mmCIF file with all atom_site columns, all heavy atoms in Angstrom:
data_model
loop_
_atom_site.group_PDB
_atom_site.id
_atom_site.type_symbol
_atom_site.label_atom_id
_atom_site.label_alt_id
_atom_site.label_comp_id
_atom_site.label_asym_id
_atom_site.label_entity_id
_atom_site.label_seq_id
_atom_site.pdbx_PDB_ins_code
_atom_site.Cartn_x
_atom_site.Cartn_y
_atom_site.Cartn_z
_atom_site.occupancy
_atom_site.B_iso_or_equiv
_atom_site.pdbx_formal_charge
_atom_site.auth_seq_id
_atom_site.auth_comp_id
_atom_site.auth_asym_id
_atom_site.auth_atom_id
_atom_site.pdbx_PDB_model_num
ATOM 1   N N   . LEU Y 1 31 ? 23.771 8.418  19.870 1.00 0.00 ? 261 LEU Y N   1
ATOM 2   C CA  . LEU Y 1 31 ? 22.945 8.642  18.690 1.00 0.00 ? 261 LEU Y CA  1
ATOM 3   C C   . LEU Y 1 31 ? 21.485 8.384  19.045 1.00 0.00 ? 261 LEU Y C   1
ATOM 4   O O   . LEU Y 1 31 ? 21.077 7.239  19.254 1.00 0.00 ? 261 LEU Y O   1
ATOM 5   C CB  . LEU Y 1 31 ? 23.401 7.721  17.546 1.00 0.00 ? 261 LEU Y CB  1
ATOM 6   C CG  . LEU Y 1 31 ? 24.860 7.876  17.110 1.00 0.00 ? 261 LEU Y CG  1
ATOM 7   C CD1 . LEU Y 1 31 ? 25.181 6.906  15.976 1.00 0.00 ? 261 LEU Y CD1 1
ATOM 8   C CD2 . LEU Y 1 31 ? 25.141 9.301  16.678 1.00 0.00 ? 261 LEU Y CD2 1
ATOM 9   N N   . ARG Y 1 32 ? 20.698 9.439  19.114 1.00 0.00 ? 262 ARG Y N   1
ATOM 10  C CA  . ARG Y 1 32 ? 19.323 9.297  19.588 1.00 0.00 ? 262 ARG Y CA  1
ATOM 11  C C   . ARG Y 1 32 ? 18.272 9.605  18.534 1.00 0.00 ? 262 ARG Y C   1
ATOM 12  O O   . ARG Y 1 32 ? 17.135 9.206  18.659 1.00 0.00 ? 262 ARG Y O   1
ATOM 13  C CB  . ARG Y 1 32 ? 19.080 10.223 20.783 1.00 0.00 ? 262 ARG Y CB  1
ATOM 14  C CG  . ARG Y 1 32 ? 19.829 9.846  22.024 1.00 0.00 ? 262 ARG Y CG  1
ATOM 15  C CD  . ARG Y 1 32 ? 19.199 10.498 23.224 1.00 0.00 ? 262 ARG Y CD  1
ATOM 16  N NE  . ARG Y 1 32 ? 17.846 10.029 23.459 1.00 0.00 ? 262 ARG Y NE  1
ATOM 17  C CZ  . ARG Y 1 32 ? 16.947 10.684 24.177 1.00 0.00 ? 262 ARG Y CZ  1
ATOM 18  N NH1 . ARG Y 1 32 ? 17.245 11.835 24.721 1.00 0.00 ? 262 ARG Y NH1 1
ATOM 19  N NH2 . ARG Y 1 32 ? 15.737 10.186 24.359 1.00 0.00 ? 262 ARG Y NH2 1
ATOM 20  N N   . VAL Y 1 33 ? 18.629 10.379 17.505 1.00 0.00 ? 263 VAL Y N   1
ATOM 21  C CA  . VAL Y 1 33 ? 17.636 10.837 16.533 1.00 0.00 ? 263 VAL Y CA  1
ATOM 22  C C   . VAL Y 1 33 ? 17.858 10.115 15.206 1.00 0.00 ? 263 VAL Y C   1
ATOM 23  O O   . VAL Y 1 33 ? 18.858 10.341 14.521 1.00 0.00 ? 263 VAL Y O   1
ATOM 24  C CB  . VAL Y 1 33 ? 17.725 12.362 16.331 1.00 0.00 ? 263 VAL Y CB  1
ATOM 25  C CG1 . VAL Y 1 33 ? 16.622 12.832 15.398 1.00 0.00 ? 263 VAL Y CG1 1
ATOM 26  C CG2 . VAL Y 1 33 ? 17.631 13.085 17.675 1.00 0.00 ? 263 VAL Y CG2 1
ATOM 27  N N   . VAL Y 1 34 ? 16.937 9.241  14.856 1.00 0.00 ? 264 VAL Y N   1
ATOM 28  C CA  . VAL Y 1 34 ? 17.029 8.464  13.617 1.00 0.00 ? 264 VAL Y CA  1
ATOM 29  C C   . VAL Y 1 34 ? 16.220 9.163  12.547 1.00 0.00 ? 264 VAL Y C   1
ATOM 30  O O   . VAL Y 1 34 ? 15.053 9.530  12.762 1.00 0.00 ? 264 VAL Y O   1
ATOM 31  C CB  . VAL Y 1 34 ? 16.502 7.032  13.824 1.00 0.00 ? 264 VAL Y CB  1
ATOM 32  C CG1 . VAL Y 1 34 ? 16.620 6.224  12.539 1.00 0.00 ? 264 VAL Y CG1 1
ATOM 33  C CG2 . VAL Y 1 34 ? 17.284 6.347  14.948 1.00 0.00 ? 264 VAL Y CG2 1
ATOM 34  N N   . THR Y 1 35 ? 16.833 9.364  11.382 1.00 0.00 ? 265 THR Y N   1
ATOM 35  C CA  . THR Y 1 35 ? 16.179 10.071 10.288 1.00 0.00 ? 265 THR Y CA  1
ATOM 36  C C   . THR Y 1 35 ? 15.815 9.096  9.171  1.00 0.00 ? 265 THR Y C   1
ATOM 37  O O   . THR Y 1 35 ? 16.088 7.900  9.247  1.00 0.00 ? 265 THR Y O   1
ATOM 38  C CB  . THR Y 1 35 ? 17.093 11.172 9.721  1.00 0.00 ? 265 THR Y CB  1
ATOM 39  O OG1 . THR Y 1 35 ? 18.122 10.559 8.923  1.00 0.00 ? 265 THR Y OG1 1
ATOM 40  C CG2 . THR Y 1 35 ? 17.747 11.976 10.850 1.00 0.00 ? 265 THR Y CG2 1
ATOM 41  N N   . GLN Y 1 36 ? 15.223 9.636  8.129  1.00 0.00 ? 266 GLN Y N   1
ATOM 42  C CA  . GLN Y 1 36 ? 14.867 8.817  6.959  1.00 0.00 ? 266 GLN Y CA  1
ATOM 43  C C   . GLN Y 1 36 ? 15.994 8.765  5.934  1.00 0.00 ? 266 GLN Y C   1
ATOM 44  O O   . GLN Y 1 36 ? 15.869 8.100  4.914  1.00 0.00 ? 266 GLN Y O   1
ATOM 45  C CB  . GLN Y 1 36 ? 13.618 9.406  6.287  1.00 0.00 ? 266 GLN Y CB  1
ATOM 46  C CG  . GLN Y 1 36 ? 12.379 9.420  7.164  1.00 0.00 ? 266 GLN Y CG  1
ATOM 47  C CD  . GLN Y 1 36 ? 11.293 10.300 6.564  1.00 0.00 ? 266 GLN Y CD  1
ATOM 48  O OE1 . GLN Y 1 36 ? 11.327 11.515 6.684  1.00 0.00 ? 266 GLN Y OE1 1
ATOM 49  N NE2 . GLN Y 1 36 ? 10.318 9.682  5.924  1.00 0.00 ? 266 GLN Y NE2 1
ATOM 50  N N   . LYS Y 1 37 ? 17.089 9.474  6.212  1.00 0.00 ? 267 LYS Y N   1
ATOM 51  C CA  . LYS Y 1 37 ? 18.146 9.599  5.219  1.00 0.00 ? 267 LYS Y CA  1
ATOM 52  C C   . LYS Y 1 37 ? 19.231 8.541  5.431  1.00 0.00 ? 267 LYS Y C   1
ATOM 53  O O   . LYS Y 1 37 ? 19.744 8.383  6.537  1.00 0.00 ? 267 LYS Y O   1
ATOM 54  C CB  . LYS Y 1 37 ? 18.764 10.998 5.289  1.00 0.00 ? 267 LYS Y CB  1
ATOM 55  C CG  . LYS Y 1 37 ? 17.778 12.115 4.946  1.00 0.00 ? 267 LYS Y CG  1
ATOM 56  C CD  . LYS Y 1 37 ? 18.440 13.481 5.002  1.00 0.00 ? 267 LYS Y CD  1
ATOM 57  C CE  . LYS Y 1 37 ? 17.465 14.584 4.631  1.00 0.00 ? 267 LYS Y CE  1
ATOM 58  N NZ  . LYS Y 1 37 ? 18.090 15.931 4.693  1.00 0.00 ? 267 LYS Y NZ  1
ATOM 59  N N   . VAL Y 1 38 ? 19.599 7.877  4.355  1.00 0.00 ? 268 VAL Y N   1
ATOM 60  C CA  . VAL Y 1 38 ? 20.614 6.833  4.419  1.00 0.00 ? 268 VAL Y CA  1
ATOM 61  C C   . VAL Y 1 38 ? 21.949 7.401  4.885  1.00 0.00 ? 268 VAL Y C   1
ATOM 62  O O   . VAL Y 1 38 ? 22.682 6.769  5.655  1.00 0.00 ? 268 VAL Y O   1
ATOM 63  C CB  . VAL Y 1 38 ? 20.777 6.161  3.035  1.00 0.00 ? 268 VAL Y CB  1
ATOM 64  C CG1 . VAL Y 1 38 ? 21.929 5.162  3.057  1.00 0.00 ? 268 VAL Y CG1 1
ATOM 65  C CG2 . VAL Y 1 38 ? 19.486 5.477  2.611  1.00 0.00 ? 268 VAL Y CG2 1
ATOM 66  N N   . GLU Y 1 39 ? 22.270 8.637  4.446  1.00 0.00 ? 269 GLU Y N   1
ATOM 67  C CA  . GLU Y 1 39 ? 23.566 9.218  4.792  1.00 0.00 ? 269 GLU Y CA  1
ATOM 68  C C   . GLU Y 1 39 ? 23.722 9.510  6.279  1.00 0.00 ? 269 GLU Y C   1
ATOM 69  O O   . GLU Y 1 39 ? 24.841 9.713  6.767  1.00 0.00 ? 269 GLU Y O   1
ATOM 70  C CB  . GLU Y 1 39 ? 23.811 10.502 4.001  1.00 0.00 ? 269 GLU Y CB  1
ATOM 71  C CG  . GLU Y 1 39 ? 22.774 11.594 4.203  1.00 0.00 ? 269 GLU Y CG  1
ATOM 72  C CD  . GLU Y 1 39 ? 21.663 11.555 3.157  1.00 0.00 ? 269 GLU Y CD  1
ATOM 73  O OE1 . GLU Y 1 39 ? 21.362 10.436 2.663  1.00 0.00 ? 269 GLU Y OE1 1
ATOM 74  O OE2 . GLU Y 1 39 ? 21.120 12.617 2.854  1.00 0.00 ? 269 GLU Y OE2 1
ATOM 75  N N   . ASP Y 1 40 ? 22.606 9.511  7.027  1.00 0.00 ? 270 ASP Y N   1
ATOM 76  C CA  . ASP Y 1 40 ? 22.679 9.745  8.472  1.00 0.00 ? 270 ASP Y CA  1
ATOM 77  C C   . ASP Y 1 40 ? 22.966 8.473  9.244  1.00 0.00 ? 270 ASP Y C   1
ATOM 78  O O   . ASP Y 1 40 ? 23.089 8.504  10.478 1.00 0.00 ? 270 ASP Y O   1
ATOM 79  C CB  . ASP Y 1 40 ? 21.372 10.377 8.980  1.00 0.00 ? 270 ASP Y CB  1
ATOM 80  C CG  . ASP Y 1 40 ? 21.208 11.812 8.508  1.00 0.00 ? 270 ASP Y CG  1
ATOM 81  O OD1 . ASP Y 1 40 ? 22.237 12.474 8.295  1.00 0.00 ? 270 ASP Y OD1 1
ATOM 82  O OD2 . ASP Y 1 40 ? 20.056 12.262 8.338  1.00 0.00 ? 270 ASP Y OD2 1
ATOM 83  N N   . GLY Y 1 41 ? 23.097 7.357  8.538  1.00 0.00 ? 271 GLY Y N   1
ATOM 84  C CA  . GLY Y 1 41 ? 23.464 6.096  9.168  1.00 0.00 ? 271 GLY Y CA  1
ATOM 85  C C   . GLY Y 1 41 ? 22.514 5.700  10.280 1.00 0.00 ? 271 GLY Y C   1
ATOM 86  O O   . GLY Y 1 41 ? 21.300 5.708  10.104 1.00 0.00 ? 271 GLY Y O   1
ATOM 87  N N   . GLU Y 1 42 ? 23.095 5.361  11.439 1.00 0.00 ? 272 GLU Y N   1
ATOM 88  C CA  . GLU Y 1 42 ? 22.284 4.904  12.564 1.00 0.00 ? 272 GLU Y CA  1
ATOM 89  C C   . GLU Y 1 42 ? 21.597 6.045  13.304 1.00 0.00 ? 272 GLU Y C   1
ATOM 90  O O   . GLU Y 1 42 ? 20.806 5.803  14.210 1.00 0.00 ? 272 GLU Y O   1
ATOM 91  C CB  . GLU Y 1 42 ? 23.160 4.113  13.539 1.00 0.00 ? 272 GLU Y CB  1
ATOM 92  C CG  . GLU Y 1 42 ? 23.702 2.813  12.957 1.00 0.00 ? 272 GLU Y CG  1
ATOM 93  C CD  . GLU Y 1 42 ? 24.518 2.039  13.963 1.00 0.00 ? 272 GLU Y CD  1
ATOM 94  O OE1 . GLU Y 1 42 ? 24.656 2.526  15.108 1.00 0.00 ? 272 GLU Y OE1 1
ATOM 95  O OE2 . GLU Y 1 42 ? 25.010 0.960  13.632 1.00 0.00 ? 272 GLU Y OE2 1
ATOM 96  N N   . GLY Y 1 43 ? 21.906 7.267  12.935 1.00 0.00 ? 273 GLY Y N   1
ATOM 97  C CA  . GLY Y 1 43 ? 21.223 8.390  13.563 1.00 0.00 ? 273 GLY Y CA  1
ATOM 98  C C   . GLY Y 1 43 ? 22.146 9.538  13.897 1.00 0.00 ? 273 GLY Y C   1
ATOM 99  O O   . GLY Y 1 43 ? 23.348 9.508  13.599 1.00 0.00 ? 273 GLY Y O   1
ATOM 100 N N   . LEU Y 1 44 ? 21.565 10.560 14.527 1.00 0.00 ? 274 LEU Y N   1
ATOM 101 C CA  . LEU Y 1 44 ? 22.289 11.757 14.911 1.00 0.00 ? 274 LEU Y CA  1
ATOM 102 C C   . LEU Y 1 44 ? 22.310 11.887 16.423 1.00 0.00 ? 274 LEU Y C   1
ATOM 103 O O   . LEU Y 1 44 ? 21.422 11.395 17.108 1.00 0.00 ? 274 LEU Y O   1
ATOM 104 C CB  . LEU Y 1 44 ? 21.600 12.999 14.314 1.00 0.00 ? 274 LEU Y CB  1
ATOM 105 C CG  . LEU Y 1 44 ? 21.370 13.022 12.806 1.00 0.00 ? 274 LEU Y CG  1
ATOM 106 C CD1 . LEU Y 1 44 ? 20.489 14.213 12.441 1.00 0.00 ? 274 LEU Y CD1 1
ATOM 107 C CD2 . LEU Y 1 44 ? 22.694 13.104 12.058 1.00 0.00 ? 274 LEU Y CD2 1
ATOM 108 N N   . GLY Y 1 45 ? 23.326 12.566 16.940 1.00 0.00 ? 275 GLY Y N   1
ATOM 109 C CA  . GLY Y 1 45 ? 23.311 12.923 18.348 1.00 0.00 ? 275 GLY Y CA  1
ATOM 110 C C   . GLY Y 1 45 ? 22.193 13.901 18.624 1.00 0.00 ? 275 GLY Y C   1
ATOM 111 O O   . GLY Y 1 45 ? 21.630 14.506 17.692 1.00 0.00 ? 275 GLY Y O   1
ATOM 112 N N   . ALA Y 1 46 ? 21.855 14.078 19.900 1.00 0.00 ? 276 ALA Y N   1
ATOM 113 C CA  . ALA Y 1 46 ? 20.724 14.934 20.244 1.00 0.00 ? 276 ALA Y CA  1
ATOM 114 C C   . ALA Y 1 46 ? 20.903 16.352 19.717 1.00 0.00 ? 276 ALA Y C   1
ATOM 115 O O   . ALA Y 1 46 ? 19.978 16.934 19.128 1.00 0.00 ? 276 ALA Y O   1
ATOM 116 C CB  . ALA Y 1 46 ? 20.515 14.947 21.755 1.00 0.00 ? 276 ALA Y CB  1
ATOM 117 N N   . ALA Y 1 47 ? 22.078 16.948 19.905 1.00 0.00 ? 277 ALA Y N   1
ATOM 118 C CA  . ALA Y 1 47 ? 22.298 18.330 19.468 1.00 0.00 ? 277 ALA Y CA  1
ATOM 119 C C   . ALA Y 1 47 ? 22.172 18.459 17.953 1.00 0.00 ? 277 ALA Y C   1
ATOM 120 O O   . ALA Y 1 47 ? 21.516 19.379 17.444 1.00 0.00 ? 277 ALA Y O   1
ATOM 121 C CB  . ALA Y 1 47 ? 23.672 18.812 19.932 1.00 0.00 ? 277 ALA Y CB  1
ATOM 122 N N   . ALA Y 1 48 ? 22.788 17.519 17.209 1.00 0.00 ? 278 ALA Y N   1
ATOM 123 C CA  . ALA Y 1 48 ? 22.705 17.562 15.748 1.00 0.00 ? 278 ALA Y CA  1
ATOM 124 C C   . ALA Y 1 48 ? 21.269 17.341 15.274 1.00 0.00 ? 278 ALA Y C   1
ATOM 125 O O   . ALA Y 1 48 ? 20.806 17.991 14.328 1.00 0.00 ? 278 ALA Y O   1
ATOM 126 C CB  . ALA Y 1 48 ? 23.632 16.510 15.141 1.00 0.00 ? 278 ALA Y CB  1
ATOM 127 N N   . GLY Y 1 49 ? 20.559 16.435 15.965 1.00 0.00 ? 279 GLY Y N   1
ATOM 128 C CA  . GLY Y 1 49 ? 19.167 16.197 15.609 1.00 0.00 ? 279 GLY Y CA  1
ATOM 129 C C   . GLY Y 1 49 ? 18.300 17.414 15.848 1.00 0.00 ? 279 GLY Y C   1
ATOM 130 O O   . GLY Y 1 49 ? 17.420 17.744 15.040 1.00 0.00 ? 279 GLY Y O   1
ATOM 131 N N   . ILE Y 1 50 ? 18.545 18.096 16.963 1.00 0.00 ? 280 ILE Y N   1
ATOM 132 C CA  . ILE Y 1 50 ? 17.788 19.312 17.280 1.00 0.00 ? 280 ILE Y CA  1
ATOM 133 C C   . ILE Y 1 50 ? 18.021 20.379 16.216 1.00 0.00 ? 280 ILE Y C   1
ATOM 134 O O   . ILE Y 1 50 ? 17.076 21.014 15.723 1.00 0.00 ? 280 ILE Y O   1
ATOM 135 C CB  . ILE Y 1 50 ? 18.182 19.820 18.687 1.00 0.00 ? 280 ILE Y CB  1
ATOM 136 C CG1 . ILE Y 1 50 ? 17.523 18.943 19.756 1.00 0.00 ? 280 ILE Y CG1 1
ATOM 137 C CG2 . ILE Y 1 50 ? 17.799 21.287 18.883 1.00 0.00 ? 280 ILE Y CG2 1
ATOM 138 C CD1 . ILE Y 1 50 ? 17.983 19.227 21.167 1.00 0.00 ? 280 ILE Y CD1 1
ATOM 139 N N   . GLU Y 1 51 ? 19.277 20.579 15.830 1.00 0.00 ? 281 GLU Y N   1
ATOM 140 C CA  . GLU Y 1 51 ? 19.583 21.590 14.819 1.00 0.00 ? 281 GLU Y CA  1
ATOM 141 C C   . GLU Y 1 51 ? 18.967 21.238 13.467 1.00 0.00 ? 281 GLU Y C   1
ATOM 142 O O   . GLU Y 1 51 ? 18.494 22.118 12.736 1.00 0.00 ? 281 GLU Y O   1
ATOM 143 C CB  . GLU Y 1 51 ? 21.097 21.752 14.698 1.00 0.00 ? 281 GLU Y CB  1
ATOM 144 C CG  . GLU Y 1 51 ? 21.730 22.394 15.927 1.00 0.00 ? 281 GLU Y CG  1
ATOM 145 C CD  . GLU Y 1 51 ? 23.234 22.525 15.812 1.00 0.00 ? 281 GLU Y CD  1
ATOM 146 O OE1 . GLU Y 1 51 ? 23.800 22.122 14.762 1.00 0.00 ? 281 GLU Y OE1 1
ATOM 147 O OE2 . GLU Y 1 51 ? 23.859 23.029 16.764 1.00 0.00 ? 281 GLU Y OE2 1
ATOM 148 N N   . HIS Y 1 52 ? 18.962 19.944 13.141 1.00 0.00 ? 282 HIS Y N   1
ATOM 149 C CA  . HIS Y 1 52 ? 18.392 19.500 11.871 1.00 0.00 ? 282 HIS Y CA  1
ATOM 150 C C   . HIS Y 1 52 ? 16.881 19.773 11.836 1.00 0.00 ? 282 HIS Y C   1
ATOM 151 O O   . HIS Y 1 52 ? 16.347 20.305 10.850 1.00 0.00 ? 282 HIS Y O   1
ATOM 152 C CB  . HIS Y 1 52 ? 18.669 18.011 11.704 1.00 0.00 ? 282 HIS Y CB  1
ATOM 153 C CG  . HIS Y 1 52 ? 18.280 17.450 10.363 1.00 0.00 ? 282 HIS Y CG  1
ATOM 154 N ND1 . HIS Y 1 52 ? 18.195 18.222 9.227  1.00 0.00 ? 282 HIS Y ND1 1
ATOM 155 C CD2 . HIS Y 1 52 ? 17.943 16.181 9.974  1.00 0.00 ? 282 HIS Y CD2 1
ATOM 156 C CE1 . HIS Y 1 52 ? 17.829 17.464 8.204  1.00 0.00 ? 282 HIS Y CE1 1
ATOM 157 N NE2 . HIS Y 1 52 ? 17.664 16.224 8.637  1.00 0.00 ? 282 HIS Y NE2 1
ATOM 158 N N   . ILE Y 1 53 ? 16.180 19.428 12.898 1.00 0.00 ? 283 ILE Y N   1
ATOM 159 C CA  . ILE Y 1 53 ? 14.734 19.647 12.949 1.00 0.00 ? 283 ILE Y CA  1
ATOM 160 C C   . ILE Y 1 53 ? 14.413 21.141 12.972 1.00 0.00 ? 283 ILE Y C   1
ATOM 161 O O   . ILE Y 1 53 ? 13.457 21.598 12.335 1.00 0.00 ? 283 ILE Y O   1
ATOM 162 C CB  . ILE Y 1 53 ? 14.128 18.930 14.170 1.00 0.00 ? 283 ILE Y CB  1
ATOM 163 C CG1 . ILE Y 1 53 ? 14.264 17.416 14.001 1.00 0.00 ? 283 ILE Y CG1 1
ATOM 164 C CG2 . ILE Y 1 53 ? 12.658 19.308 14.359 1.00 0.00 ? 283 ILE Y CG2 1
ATOM 165 C CD1 . ILE Y 1 53 ? 13.845 16.598 15.220 1.00 0.00 ? 283 ILE Y CD1 1
ATOM 166 N N   . ARG Y 1 54 ? 15.237 21.932 13.688 1.00 0.00 ? 284 ARG Y N   1
ATOM 167 C CA  . ARG Y 1 54 ? 15.037 23.384 13.696 1.00 0.00 ? 284 ARG Y CA  1
ATOM 168 C C   . ARG Y 1 54 ? 15.112 23.961 12.288 1.00 0.00 ? 284 ARG Y C   1
ATOM 169 O O   . ARG Y 1 54 ? 14.310 24.826 11.915 1.00 0.00 ? 284 ARG Y O   1
ATOM 170 C CB  . ARG Y 1 54 ? 16.096 24.042 14.575 1.00 0.00 ? 284 ARG Y CB  1
ATOM 171 C CG  . ARG Y 1 54 ? 15.871 23.906 16.068 1.00 0.00 ? 284 ARG Y CG  1
ATOM 172 C CD  . ARG Y 1 54 ? 17.070 24.398 16.850 1.00 0.00 ? 284 ARG Y CD  1
ATOM 173 N NE  . ARG Y 1 54 ? 16.804 24.473 18.280 1.00 0.00 ? 284 ARG Y NE  1
ATOM 174 C CZ  . ARG Y 1 54 ? 17.719 24.719 19.209 1.00 0.00 ? 284 ARG Y CZ  1
ATOM 175 N NH1 . ARG Y 1 54 ? 18.990 24.905 18.841 1.00 0.00 ? 284 ARG Y NH1 1
ATOM 176 N NH2 . ARG Y 1 54 ? 17.390 24.784 20.487 1.00 0.00 ? 284 ARG Y NH2 1
ATOM 177 N N   . ALA Y 1 55 ? 16.091 23.490 11.507 1.00 0.00 ? 285 ALA Y N   1
ATOM 178 C CA  . ALA Y 1 55 ? 16.267 24.020 10.150 1.00 0.00 ? 285 ALA Y CA  1
ATOM 179 C C   . ALA Y 1 55 ? 15.029 23.772 9.296  1.00 0.00 ? 285 ALA Y C   1
ATOM 180 O O   . ALA Y 1 55 ? 14.645 24.614 8.473  1.00 0.00 ? 285 ALA Y O   1
ATOM 181 C CB  . ALA Y 1 55 ? 17.497 23.383 9.504  1.00 0.00 ? 285 ALA Y CB  1
#
Side-chain angles (χ1 to χ4, degrees):
L261 302 180
R262 292 199 64 200
V263 184
V264 181
T265 75
Q266 298 167 280
K267 297 181 179 179
V268 175
E269 59 266 30
D270 290 331
E272 294 182 0
L274 305 171
I280 284 172
E281 291 179 0
H282 187 25
I283 294 173
R284 284 171 171 172

